Amino acid sequence: MIKIGLGYDLHALEKGRPLILGGVVIPFDKGEKGHSDGDVLLHAITDALLGAAGLSDIGELFPPSQEQWKGADSSLLLQKAWQLVTDHGWTLDNIDCVIAIEKPKILPFRKEIISRIAEILQCRDDQIFVKAKTGEKLGEIGREEAVCVWAVCLLSKE
Ligand code: MG
């Protein structure tokens, strides 16, 4: 059995916050606003994996109303969610992601981001792919007010 999953997330960008994508801190003067560390890429991946398995979603598992998730390391949230998914017998085929962000350029950090995600999910680097697009100066992405991510994944089970 194979199942596809889709995850999406958007966070506002704010001066003085760290920009964290896929567990990697990227030097920039703005970062994601959020209850947790704001890692929009890991949030989208978490939702894609949970969605493929039909288990839950990030908001249900880790409610922003609960104080324990304030400033939480999103890699730990992803690890917990992935544990739940693998406990149900699923294995990962691949994940592909698009990050929409006007600045900075993500390409120089791509390998590091891929390796970090693979490390969190205990899979190979070639099972993960990440690419970035600008907003062509249009809308909230183009105005550097937000960053958003779409992630798809494929899971299989015997
Ligand atoms: Mg989020």
Side-chain angles (χ1 to χ4, degrees):
M1 179 164 41
I2 59 168
K3 294 260 191 179
I4 190 170
L6 170 66
Y8 167 81
D9 199 17
L10 178 145
H11 282 229
L13 288 170
E14 195 177 64
K15 279 211 190 294
R17 293 267 307 181
L19 180 62
I20 308 175
L21 290 169
V24 175
V25 179
I26 294 171
F28 194 52
D29 64 339
K30 285 185 238 178
E32 301 110 320
K33 217 168 145 176
H35 189 70
S36 66
D37 65 8
D39 193 328
V40 66
L41 176 55
L42 293 189
H43 293 180
I45 290 172
T46 302
D47 261 350
L49 295 168
L50 289 169
L55 285 170
S56 185
D57 61 65
I58 193 168
E60 186 186 38
L61 276 188
F62 313 108
S65 56
Q66 284 180 10
E67 200 52 30
Q68 67 184 117
W69 308 120
K70 193 172 189 315
D73 178 347
S74 296
S75 58
L76 293 179
L77 307 187
L78 175 54
Q79 257 165 10
K80 279 179 190 285
W82 184 228
Q83 185 67 52
L84 178 67
V85 173
T86 55
D87 284 350
H88 283 75
W90 293 102
T91 58
L92 178 68
D93 289 326
N94 77 302
I95 290 173
D96 189 21
C97 311
V98 179
I99 305 167
I101 190 165
E102 194 69 19
K103 281 182 193 162
K105 287 277 173 238
I106 301 304
L107 188 57
F109 303 95
R110 171 148 79 192
K111 272 203 169 129
E112 195 183 342
I113 292 171
I114 287 173
S115 292
R116 178 65 189 130
I117 296 167
E119 186 184 15
I120 296 166
L121 298 175
Q122 297 188 299
C123 68
R124 301 185 316 272
D125 285 14
D126 68 4
Q127 291 174 277
I128 310 290
F129 202 72
V130 171
K131 67 195 81 74
K133 309 290 286 183
T134 72
E136 295 284 340
K137 298 191 164 49
L138 296 169
E140 69 267 26
I141 302 298
R143 288 191 300 267
E144 301 175 38
E145 291 168 1
V147 50
C148 74
V149 173
W150 295 265
V152 288
C153 71
L154 200 66
L155 300 182
S156 49
K157 174 146 91 166
E158 289 297 310

